[in-house]
Amino acid sequence: MNSANLSREETAARSAAVTLSRVRVDLDLTGAPERARTGFATTTTLEFESTTSETWLDFIGESVHRVTVNGAEHDVSYDGARIALTGLTQHNVVRVEATGLYSRSGEGLHRFHDPADEQTYLYTQYEPADARRVMACFEQPDMKASYTFVVAAPAGWEVLSNQAPAHVDAGLGVQTVEFAPTLPISSYITAVAAGPYARIDGEWRRGDQTIELGVFARRSLAQYLESDEILEVTRQGLDFFTDAFAYPYPWGKYDQLFVPEYNLGAMENPGLVTFTEGYLSRGAATEAQRAARTNTILHEMAHMWFGDLVTMRWWDDLWLKESFADYMGSHASAAATRFADAWVKFAASRKSWAYQQDQLPTTHPIVADITDLEAAKLNFDGITYAKGAAVLKQLVAFVGEEAFFEGARRYFAAHAFGNTTLSDLLAQLTAVSGRDMSDWSRAWLETTGMSTLALEIARGDSGDGSLVQTDPRPHRLRIGIYRRVDGRVVRHEQIPLDISDERTPVRIPDADLILLNDDDLTYAKARLDERSLATVEESLSDIDDPLARALVWSSLWNATRDGEMDPVRYLAIVRRHARREPNIGLLTGVLANAGFATRHFLAGERRSVEHRSWTEAAGEALRSADAGSDAQLSWARTLATASAYDDVLSAEVTALLAGVIPEGLVIDPDLRWQLLTALVTTGHASADDVAAELERDDTGTGRTAARRALASRPDAAVREAAWRTAWTDTSLSNGHLDAEIAGFRAGGRRDLIARFDEEYFSRIDEAWRTRSIELASRLVTGLFPATESLTLVDRWLADNETSPAALRRLIIEQRDHLARDLRVQAMHSE
């Protein structure tokens, strides 16, 4: 294991011997606007108690210049990831002077030069372990401290951190901002941002507590900020969580910053939450997009308690913050905001992510065995987030909402500013619910996989049958009995049921549609029986309840992924009913799944036929959609995506770009790039067209889109250039690397790129060794070849058993995706 990849055992030994109390970090960012300047001065002073005479600090940067221990200068012993410390006593003050590197990968201190106005913007992103790219630190969550940041930056910039400024020293062209010390927090949630950000201020009050609110974005995006809605949701969230957790928001202020080239959706830095700019739409947005942003705002706000106030001891218990925050994002959205249907989208889309992850050979328990940081990085996945949230939803059904929240209140009170493990939470839940949580934990948190529910019943007068589950475990669920009434499909009754065995006797009344997990209480795939499936094919869009429709759409998709439903049949259902789906959150998910099915689960002539049918269906739906509706915008985006694979409507796409637009449709810059890239991919637009569009939209987003479009041209030499650039140009930012990868794969043109299949497997080891894990992961997953057999990947796995475990995990997962594609294609090849 390389020295940057910290292990659970060695960090546990370090925190047992070292008790950290205070950290001061001085950063000189005054040279950031100079593009030729690659680094920045960083000086860290740490105060800690120690029972050992030697340990190490973590730092990844350009160089370490000086190390002093208790006032005595020491020789610098630095291997590129660790700074050795010797001569420690009981109480220690260590000072490290170093040079950090500005990041282009979104890890550490990321620097972005905005081409729209030539301004420079900085922000940090650390989780799980990139604070060491900015400061010398003990990079592990169980070593909390009070942090004081002192930042020198150009005058006129906004300079931000977890706390408010305590003192500002204004000089000639520069400013030095010293922030108030934080309460005890882990290194990975400290944060700094600086730049000429546009700022909108607000305030939240509750009794004697006043929290200053700030919303920030690049100046060139300020017009798209929608700050009124963001501040409204923020106030609603603070109201909700203050009441729900009975623990006042502890972090002093609440700033929210939207940043470019961001690797995540958002990050819960206390007092300075960062979000991807993807949540800001440049002209057109659906209610589903705003609901997603609201969910994320509330997800991150929940972290102020779950994760920041009380933090997992090590990454094994990552779920203690992410599962809860994912649950709370939907729960608070439904309870406190106008997005009352948040659980509908969760049932249809979020749980789909969990089901997919849980079927991989690399699946893991929610409480995972995380041996090192590379493993931690890969466990920010559908198990930790979506499955964990679904299981918590089931827990609420078992113990009741009040007991669940009372357990959370006691958990915060008992462990504020500390670190915990699974047992600490279970103890509180057991105390308030009166139930032993150990059996529940073993069944849901400490095992892998999921149940699949199916009904075995002879339809008739008796209605006697069995509810069968694979991978048996305890479920509390409701069986929904639906009947056709006056042209609608409505719920007639529900049958509550607790099951734990493989087979459970049930008596089912006559029904047109039976939903085995009505109200979506449990985590399980639920199949439709044949009569229900026939009802769905004819009348899916006549089901009144949106959550019931979500469960039906989810069941159809799971059956298609598992090969039990012919993708052609699935696509026919989508074409028939998607145009009548009124819930925009459901519609966007269904459209994405239909496109995926055509690209992955069909082969040969069947794929060509369905590509064309899907593209034509998108065009027809766009033309007939209500003017200005979210559905109209969603179908326009779907047409753009589909037209990269079939050019039957290229003339219509060209006309949209030329201004022949259906009434009410807003074609913003991002949709224009989608449409143009589709035309470029199929040879109906040229590099000159891309250049003209870039002149129209010469922004950071526009330049990334132009790079993708140029790499998408259907020319073997162009695709080869994209391939070489992705692997060899280490100056690419994370966003530009994604653009090259997307261009290389555009349109599914295997005839242009299949010749690189073997080369891929010869390159991945070196990429893993030489690139950061963020960029290496993008290369490994993004360029994995869609071969017609498993021969090449199986050979690599057999020949590389000693490759890093995290790399092998990614390859094993990509192999499984490919194997599923090939298996489903073969099952329905006729």
Side-chain angles (χ1 to χ4, degrees), residues 619-640:
E620 183 180 352
L622 171 60
R623 291 187 290 271
S624 63
D626 291 342
S629 65
D630 284 351
Q632 183 188 51
L633 180 57
S634 297
W635 282 110
R637 292 168 175 168
T638 299
L639 175 61

Side-chain angles (χ1 to χ4, degrees), residues 105-107 123 125 260-265 276 377 734-735 738 774-775 778:
S105 67
E107 302 157 293
Y123 66 87
Q125 171 55 40
E261 297 183 329
Y262 201 50
N263 291 331
L264 309 175
T276 173
K377 177 73 172 179
N734 46 2
D738 284 347
E774 179 66 40
L775 297 185
R778 293 178 188 222

Side-chain angles (χ1 to χ4, degrees), residues 17 114 119 168 335 448 477 496 500 503 529 555 571 609 629 675 708 736 793 798 800:
D114 190 347
Q119 297 294 325
V168 179
T448 64
L477 48 82
S500 58
R503 305 180 73 87
D529 65 275
S555 181
L571 290 166
V609 168
S629 65
L675 294 165
R708 175 177 178 170
H736 286 180
V793 63
N800 292 271

Side-chain angles (χ1 to χ4, degrees), residues 209-323:
Q209 188 178 26
T210 299
I211 302 297
E212 299 298 325
L213 310 178
V215 182
F216 301 82
R218 288 186 287 137
R219 288 179 182 175
S220 60
L221 290 179
Q223 61 183 309
Y224 308 118
L225 193 50
E226 296 189 318
S227 56
D228 287 346
E229 178 166 298
I230 292 168
L231 287 170
E232 179 185 17
V233 170
T234 303
R235 294 186 184 103
Q236 290 168 332
L238 287 169
D239 283 338
F240 177 82
F241 288 121
T242 297
D243 290 339
F245 295 153
Y247 194 110
Y249 174 78
W251 305 111
K253 67 179 179 73
Y254 203 92
D255 289 337
Q256 296 173 99
L257 177 68
F258 292 83
V259 297
E261 297 183 329
Y262 201 50
N263 291 331
L264 309 175
M267 181 63 203
E268 67 267 17
N269 315 305
L272 181 56
V273 183
T274 42
F275 296 83
T276 173
E277 289 177 347
Y279 285 120
L280 305 180
S281 299
R282 296 196 295 160
T286 65
E287 279 294 276
Q289 289 173 275
R290 293 189 175 94
R293 182 176 64 200
T294 292
N295 189 299
T296 302
I297 289 171
L298 297 173
H299 174 119
E300 302 309 321
M301 189 179 290
H303 275 310
M304 300 299 119
W305 290 266
F306 281 110
D308 294 356
L309 178 65
V310 182
T311 310
M312 68 276 156
R313 184 172 299 164
W314 177 247
W315 301 102
D316 294 352
D317 284 302
L318 176 62
W319 80 280
L320 279 172
K321 71 185 190 76
E322 294 302 347
S323 297

Side-chain angles (χ1 to χ4, degrees), residues 20 22-25 27 44 108-109 123-141 143-149 160-163 180-193 251 262 267-274 307-308 311:
L20 183 64
R22 284 179 292 277
V23 180
R24 176 187 169 104
V25 182
L27 301 173
T44 311
L109 181 60
Y123 66 87
T124 57
Q125 171 55 40
Y126 296 153
E127 190 176 38
D130 286 317
R132 55 187 170 161
R133 296 181 185 273
V134 176
M135 59 185 175
C137 61
F138 295 110
E139 190 75 285
Q140 55 193 87
M143 297 186 71
K144 290 188 169 185
S146 172
Y147 284 83
T148 300
F149 287 92
L160 306 167
S161 188
N162 302 92
Q163 288 291 299
T182 70
L183 293 166
I185 56 176
S186 305
S187 58
Y188 78 92
I189 50 175
T190 62
V192 169
W251 305 111
Y262 201 50
M267 181 63 203
E268 67 267 17
N269 315 305
L272 181 56
V273 183
T274 42
D308 294 356
T311 310

Side-chain angles (χ1 to χ4, degrees), residues 288 345 348-350 352 356 553 557 560-561 570-571 574-575 578 581 583-601 611 614 618 633-635 637-639 641-642 645 674:
K345 180 66 172 174
S349 298
R350 200 66 172 175
S352 178
Q356 174 182 315
W553 283 120
W557 179 238
T560 303
R561 286 192 73 249
Y570 171 76
L571 290 166
V574 173
R575 288 194 298 270
E581 176 52 67
N583 185 288
I584 190 61
L586 291 184
L587 177 61
T588 54
V590 169
L591 297 183
N593 287 344
F596 188 94
T598 60
R599 297 190 299 273
H600 289 265
F601 298 151
H611 266 317
W614 181 237
L633 180 57
S634 297
W635 282 110
R637 292 168 175 168
T638 299
L639 175 61
T641 302
Y645 295 86
Q674 279 186 274

Side-chain angles (χ1 to χ4, degrees), residues 431-561:
V432 298
S433 69
R435 296 170 180 256
D436 184 353
M437 290 288 105
S438 57
D439 287 343
W440 175 83
S441 176
R442 281 190 293 271
W444 289 104
L445 301 180
E446 301 169 56
T447 60
T448 64
M450 79 201 81
S451 304
T452 298
L453 308 178
L455 189 63
E456 292 183 357
I457 188 169
R459 297 276 193 155
D461 294 335
S462 71
D464 290 332
S466 296
L467 180 59
V468 181
Q469 65 162 321
T470 62
D471 192 11
R473 63 188 71 203
H475 298 272
R476 172 162 292 181
L477 48 82
R478 298 169 188 154
I479 299 176
I481 306 301
Y482 290 75
R483 293 176 180 168
R484 287 190 176 94
V485 178
D486 297 330
R488 308 301 298 167
V489 179
V490 298
R491 181 191 292 145
H492 177 70
E493 63 178 293
Q494 285 184 326
I495 303 172
L497 197 64
D498 286 350
I499 66 172
S500 58
D501 298 329
E502 182 178 351
R503 305 180 73 87
T504 302
V506 291
R507 173 162 289 188
I508 303 294
D510 186 57
D512 295 302
L513 170 65
I514 301 170
L515 295 183
L516 299 180
N517 185 25
D518 208 19
D519 290 337
D520 195 38
L521 295 184
T522 196
Y523 174 76
K525 292 190 296 184
R527 300 300 194 211
L528 296 171
D529 65 275
E530 281 303 318
R531 182 175 172 185
S532 295
L533 183 55
T535 298
V536 163
E537 285 189 291
E538 181 181 345
S539 305
L540 192 160
S541 46
D542 295 326
I543 301 171
D544 279 342
D545 181 16
L547 182 54
R549 291 199 309 277
L551 296 173
V552 169
W553 283 120
S554 176
S555 181
L556 294 173
W557 179 238
N558 285 326
T560 303
R561 286 192 73 249

Side-chain angles (χ1 to χ4, degrees), residues 680-681 685-687 690 708-716 718-719 743 746 752:
V680 171
T681 301
S686 67
V690 175
R708 175 177 178 170
L710 289 173
S712 300
R713 287 171 289 170
D715 179 271
V718 168
R719 299 299 177 94
L752 297 176

